[in-house]
Amino acid sequence: MRARVFGWWVLGLAGVLALASAVSADVKLPGVFGDHMVLQRDVPIPVWGWAEPGEEIAVRLAQQSKKTKADGEGKWSVKLDPMKAGGPYVLAVQGKNRVEKSDVLVGEVWLCSGQSNMAMTVNGCLNKDAEIAAANYPKIRMLTVTRKTAEKPQENCEGTWAVCSPKTVGGFSAAAYFFGRRLHEDLDVPVGLINSSWGGTPIQAWTSRKAQQAVKDLAPLVEAYEKAVAAYDPAAATKRYEKQLAAWKAAAAKAKTEGAKFTQRRPQAPLPPQESPNSPGTLYNGMIAPLAPYAIRGAIWYQGESNAGNAKLYGRQLRTMIAEWRSVWGQGDFPFLFVQLPNFMAPQQNPSETGGWPLIREQMLKTLEVPNTGMAVTIDVGEANDIHPRNKQEVGKRLAQWALAKTYGKDVVACGPLYKSMRRDGDKIVLAFDHADGLAARGGQLKGFAIAGQDKKFVWAQAKIERNTVVVSSPEVPEPVAVRYGWANNPDCTLVNKAGLPASPFRTDSWDP
């Protein structure tokens, strides 16, 4: 009797395993492919997935079909021929089973990443009610990638493509949406936006540890991470957390009893370093690697706030990340556009103020040396008391200005004035700029310039526009050697060009601030 029962148990287990094997062998597509998605026009379109090893796969889209076989690990891929903007189509993948993705459009696709100012939704932006009511753009689609950390690069991610409408747009990344809306209106093609962002995260989380280890200045970040992983004690971490939580609850109860306002954040439960969204590589592994090689036109990036404490390293970090993403996608030097940090914190009071944010802005400005990069200057649309400024319309518009001018060849001004060079003319310094047609002072008064001599002591300067240059001087500095403009966390600076776009903050010196 026992033998018979055991036999039936073995057969039952074998059946379950066979069923599981059959299910796992079904043709599958990664999560980046879904109903309502947008595919990139005018380039080969990679399509990939999994099936039973050796299984024959046919991929059909519109009038074309490609065939392949799954390799020994069950992986397969094809490249569809380039297509013009259009749709809707059905993407069909046929193996032993059939997978279909419907309402597929072909147009322009951009990856949108960063921290909270990219993650911030239309629900939180300026004039949100009017923006939501007017969002009837069915050819704009957004994939919001589910937040996930990982110790190693993942092959798949989760997310859902949403069609833009008043019902859905409130949950869209605001900066990405306003960028995509401008492109859609000017190019008259479908636009797909892949939002892969996570608030409060540093740039090192969005770059692989391998890429950072290869850069001398960045390798210590990875070494510190590895030491933290080795030293992590879950029991000790839990004990510390419980102590912090008890103290927080006591403080909250006391504040409630006294009728006082309580703003202290609740302590967060401990995470192993390899699961933290702040650790090197964890977000690259979980939220960027699985997206490649989905064809895109380029990427937009809004981040930097979390790296202001070590701002001098940021340029190296940004360049490393750009190079890695481009390498992983294998599409050459695709356009990479970023938002220069806006004005924030207490307004500037004297010409010698500094901080981490001016240095981050400088690192971004210098990163424009990397081919096919662009920058949206937002020094005039921040908010002193809110690290999440609500005017994301202007952020998206300025990113789109650069893309329209440089990527799509449209006759628009790409950006505001960017510092190019200086020369001394007696007791004055003459500044030259790129994108300088029609220099002007917003509000009629040119503000934001400071000047210094060899003593490195900056004073407010007199500044005037002469053709496409700015001439800076001060009677207090008869022999000037350096100029700074907008050099503070929250400066009052007013230089613009004919398009009304603001000049980027800059400095001509390299002194320690």
Side-chain angles (χ1 to χ4, degrees):
M1 180 66 181
R2 288 182 179 179
R4 182 179 300 176
V5 170
F6 180 77
W8 280 110
W9 181 84
V10 170
L11 289 173
L13 177 61
V16 169
L17 292 174
L19 179 60
S21 176
V23 170
S24 65
D26 281 352
V27 171
K28 296 179 182 178
L29 286 168
V32 68
F33 292 90
D35 296 335
H36 316 300
M37 65 181 166
V38 181
L39 301 173
Q40 178 60 47
R41 64 172 173 167
D42 299 334
V43 300
I45 303 171
V47 181
W48 71 97
W50 303 271
E52 184 178 323
E55 185 173 350
E56 294 186 355
I57 307 295
V59 179
R60 177 177 292 275
L61 180 66
Q63 302 304 311
Q64 62 173 306
S65 180
K66 301 283 184 177
K67 294 184 178 181
T68 188
K69 283 187 177 182
D71 65 16
E73 296 182 349
K75 299 178 182 179
W76 59 267
S77 65
V78 300
K79 280 192 176 180
L80 299 176
D81 297 333
M83 297 176 64
K84 298 298 182 184
Y89 304 112
V90 173
L91 174 69
V93 181
Q94 182 70 57
K96 294 180 179 178
N97 63 299
R98 183 178 179 87
V99 176
E100 291 188 355
K101 302 299 179 183
S102 62
D103 188 31
V104 176
L105 302 181
V106 177
E108 291 297 304
V109 181
W110 286 78
L111 172 60
C112 314
S113 189
Q115 59 178 109
S116 54
N117 272 305
M118 182 62 80
M120 180 178 172
T121 65
V122 174
N123 278 329
C125 78
L126 196 66
N127 302 322
K128 68 169 185 176
D129 292 338
E131 295 289 5
I132 290 172
N136 290 300
Y137 295 99
K139 291 186 179 181
I140 298 177
R141 315 288 178 79
M142 183 172 290
L143 170 67
T144 300
V145 178
T146 301
R147 293 175 180 177
K148 180 181 180 180
T149 62
E151 187 177 5
K152 297 180 180 180
Q154 301 296 293
E155 293 185 332
N156 203 358
C157 62
E158 296 180 358
T160 302
W161 284 92
V163 178
C164 179
S165 74
K167 291 183 179 180
T168 62
V169 76
F172 281 23
S173 158
Y177 167 65
F178 293 119
F179 167 76
R181 186 178 72 179
R182 177 71 189 277
L183 295 187
H184 176 59
E185 291 174 339
D186 281 40
L187 301 175
D188 192 27
V189 298
V191 172
L193 304 162
I194 301 175
N195 171 21
S196 185
S197 57
W198 192 321
T201 55
I203 192 171
Q204 56 264 33
W206 296 96
T207 312
S208 75
R209 291 192 290 277
K210 180 179 179 181
Q212 294 177 77
Q213 282 176 318
V215 179
K216 180 179 179 181
D217 293 340
L218 306 186
L221 296 174
V222 180
E223 293 168 6
Y225 162 79
E226 291 172 344
K227 290 179 180 178
V229 170
Y232 183 72
D233 182 341
T238 299
K239 188 174 181 179
R240 285 194 301 271
Y241 165 70
E242 290 173 346
K243 185 177 180 180
Q244 293 167 352
L245 183 61
W248 179 86
K249 288 180 177 179
K254 181 180 178 182
K256 184 177 181 180
T257 300
E258 296 174 352
K261 186 176 181 180
F262 186 70
T263 59
Q264 182 181 339
R265 289 187 177 182
R266 183 187 181 97
Q268 292 185 338
L271 280 175
Q274 57 269 38
E275 296 179 18
S276 169
N278 298 316
S279 293
T282 55
L283 298 185
Y284 170 83
N285 291 338
M287 297 177 65
I288 296 298
L291 300 174
Y294 192 90
I296 59 175
R297 177 64 68 192
I300 60 174
W301 175 254
Y302 193 162
Q303 193 274 342
E305 301 92 333
S306 290
N307 288 88
N310 192 10
K312 288 185 178 180
L313 199 60
Y314 192 79
R316 177 70 69 179
Q317 291 175 302
L318 184 56
R319 291 169 186 245
T320 300
M321 187 185 75
I322 292 170
E324 177 172 46
W325 288 17
R326 286 173 168 174
S327 175
V328 168
W329 254 267
Q331 291 185 206
D333 291 345
F334 63 67
F336 194 103
L337 317 181
F338 40 88
V339 180
Q340 191 186 53
L341 292 187
N343 47 313
F344 176 54
M345 294 178 273
Q348 183 176 8
Q349 297 298 317
N350 66 70
S352 296
E353 285 187 18
T354 187
W357 284 46
L359 292 171
I360 290 282
R361 295 186 194 113
E362 179 181 52
Q363 295 297 309
M364 290 176 161
L365 178 62
K366 289 183 176 181
T367 301
L368 292 177
E369 298 169 358
V370 176
N372 211 11
T373 55
M375 184 174 75
V377 178
T378 62
I379 198 63
D380 58 334
V381 295
E383 298 178 27
N385 299 316
D386 195 341
I387 200 171
H388 304 118
R390 297 171 63 226
N391 188 358
K392 291 298 187 286
Q393 290 91 331
E394 200 64 30
V395 173
K397 173 186 173 183
R398 292 178 188 179
L399 286 168
Q401 286 276 125
W402 190 289
L404 289 168
K406 301 294 187 177
T407 302
Y408 300 109
K410 298 294 183 180
D411 186 19
V412 298
V413 178
C415 68
L418 300 177
Y419 170 70
K420 181 169 63 174
S421 63
M422 63 158 277
R423 63 179 175 85
R424 182 173 165 184
D425 183 9
D427 61 353
K428 302 178 179 63
I429 287 180
V430 181
L431 303 167
F433 300 86
D434 292 319
H435 309 284
D437 287 348
L439 290 183
R442 178 180 286 132
Q445 184 178 356
L446 204 52
K447 299 178 182 180
F449 290 91
I451 196 167
Q454 291 289 355
D455 61 2
K456 302 182 181 180
K457 294 181 180 179
F458 282 90
V459 301
W460 290 120
Q462 299 167 359
K464 61 180 180 178
I465 295 168
E466 292 186 357
R467 297 177 183 169
N468 288 334
T469 67
V470 175
V471 180
V472 185
S473 64
S474 169
E476 299 178 51
V477 185
E479 297 184 4
V481 297
V483 170
R484 291 182 177 181
Y485 171 76
W487 196 261
N489 291 322
N490 189 356
D492 183 10
C493 48
T494 59
L495 181 64
V496 298
N497 59 14
K498 67 179 182 180
L501 295 171
S504 167
F506 67 92
R507 59 175 174 163
T508 66
D509 66 275
S510 57
W511 304 331
D512 287 337

